[in-house]
Amino acid sequence: MEKEKLPIEKDVDLEFEYKVYRIYDFLKKHFKFVLAFLLLLIVISGGLYYKNQIDKQNKEKASLYISKIADLLSEDKLEDAKKELESFKKQYRDTEFYKVALAYEILINKEENKENKEPAEKLKNELKTDLSSGVNEYLAYLKNKEGNSKEAKEILKSIDSKKYNYISAQTLYALILKKEGNFQEAQKIFETIKNDQNYRYFSLLVRENL
């Protein structure tokens, strides 16, 4: 009497079995390589997790630092704010809050009448949105204040009508032209702004210069 075969022996998938043996042979032949690869994956995963945790902690600390600087500025403690700002820039330069720190540096400089281009130029390079256009306008203002009206005008001309600060940039451009004695070109810009009802503040401002 023939011994009955087990179901697993009857229904075995030969193609599947062949694939399993091939995988087994590969692992057996390249065991050290596979083991090293798995260990490398574990190390990389652990390293990325650790880096993410460190980045998260740095962001939280940087956020608290920025809040402290903001509080000091609101209390008019400029010297204390400046010290904290310098410390922040050394420790948290690589965080997203560095842009905020540069903006605060610009504000402090304005309060002390020590305006300089360096923090504004750094901030412009850090910004990836249309806010950089506002910083460009501020740089143009500083260059004109230094007597470099030619470069100031070039910067202002780069601020096109799609930018949120186009009208204010055009106003500054016209004021520079007027100061240089180019009254005809300045008046053309002033007239355009005066007739734009969407910008009432600038419309009133240019009326004083017509």
Side-chain angles (χ1 to χ4, degrees):
M1 183 176 175
E2 184 180 354
K3 184 179 178 182
E4 187 179 356
K5 292 184 177 181
L6 294 173
I8 194 171
E9 294 177 353
K10 288 181 180 179
D11 303 327
V12 69
D13 186 332
L14 293 178
E15 186 178 353
F16 175 73
E17 184 180 18
Y18 174 71
K19 289 178 180 178
V20 170
Y21 277 118
R22 283 195 65 183
I23 293 171
Y24 174 76
D25 287 341
F26 176 83
L27 292 175
K28 186 177 179 181
K29 186 177 180 180
H30 302 91
F31 176 74
K32 291 182 178 179
F33 171 78
V34 173
L35 180 62
F37 179 73
L38 290 174
L39 289 173
L40 181 62
L41 279 180
I42 292 170
V43 170
I44 291 174
S45 298
L48 288 174
Y49 175 78
Y50 177 75
K51 183 180 182 301
N52 287 336
Q53 291 299 109
I54 293 297
D55 287 345
K56 184 179 178 181
Q57 290 177 13
N58 280 340
K59 285 181 180 179
E60 290 173 353
K61 291 178 181 178
S63 176
L64 291 173
Y65 228 123
I66 286 294
S67 296
K68 184 178 180 180
I69 294 169
D71 289 340
L72 290 170
L73 287 175
S74 67
E75 296 169 5
D76 291 326
K77 297 179 179 178
L78 292 184
E79 287 303 318
D80 291 336
K82 283 168 61 178
K83 289 177 182 177
E84 294 296 336
L85 189 59
E86 289 304 313
S87 179
F88 175 92
K89 286 161 62 179
K90 291 176 182 177
Q91 297 182 60
Y92 302 107
R93 189 185 187 90
D94 296 330
T95 68
E96 59 192 18
F97 293 99
Y98 179 61
K99 291 177 279 192
V100 183
L102 289 172
Y104 280 144
E105 186 174 1
I106 292 170
L107 290 174
I108 291 172
N109 287 338
K110 284 176 69 66
E111 285 293 323
E112 296 184 331
N113 292 318
K114 297 177 181 177
E115 296 172 332
N116 64 75
K117 299 187 296 293
E118 186 179 349
E121 287 173 343
K122 287 180 181 178
L123 180 57
K124 183 188 72 172
N125 294 330
E126 290 286 330
L127 292 171
K128 307 300 180 186
T129 66
D130 276 353
L131 286 176
S132 61
S133 181
V135 180
N136 263 337
E137 184 182 342
Y138 177 65
L139 282 170
Y141 159 76
L142 290 179
K143 288 183 181 295
N144 180 58
K145 190 175 180 181
E146 294 172 350
N148 192 348
S149 61
K150 182 178 179 181
E151 195 169 344
K153 287 188 294 183
E154 288 300 315
I155 294 173
L156 292 168
K157 282 194 289 186
S158 71
I159 302 173
D160 59 40
S161 59
K162 295 178 181 178
K163 299 295 189 296
Y164 73 94
N165 62 321
Y166 172 69
I167 293 296
S168 61
Q170 284 289 292
T171 303
L172 177 57
Y173 185 74
L175 289 171
I176 293 173
L177 289 175
K178 182 180 178 182
K179 184 180 178 181
E180 291 176 335
N182 193 343
F183 301 108
Q184 187 175 358
E185 287 300 315
Q187 187 167 4
K188 286 181 183 178
I189 298 172
F190 286 144
E191 288 288 350
T192 302
I193 297 171
K194 184 188 73 172
N195 296 326
D196 194 328
Q197 298 302 314
N198 293 321
Y199 298 93
R200 182 164 174 75
Y201 167 78
F202 293 103
S203 176
L204 293 172
L205 175 63
V206 298
R207 287 174 190 272
E208 299 293 326
N209 289 277
L210 283 171

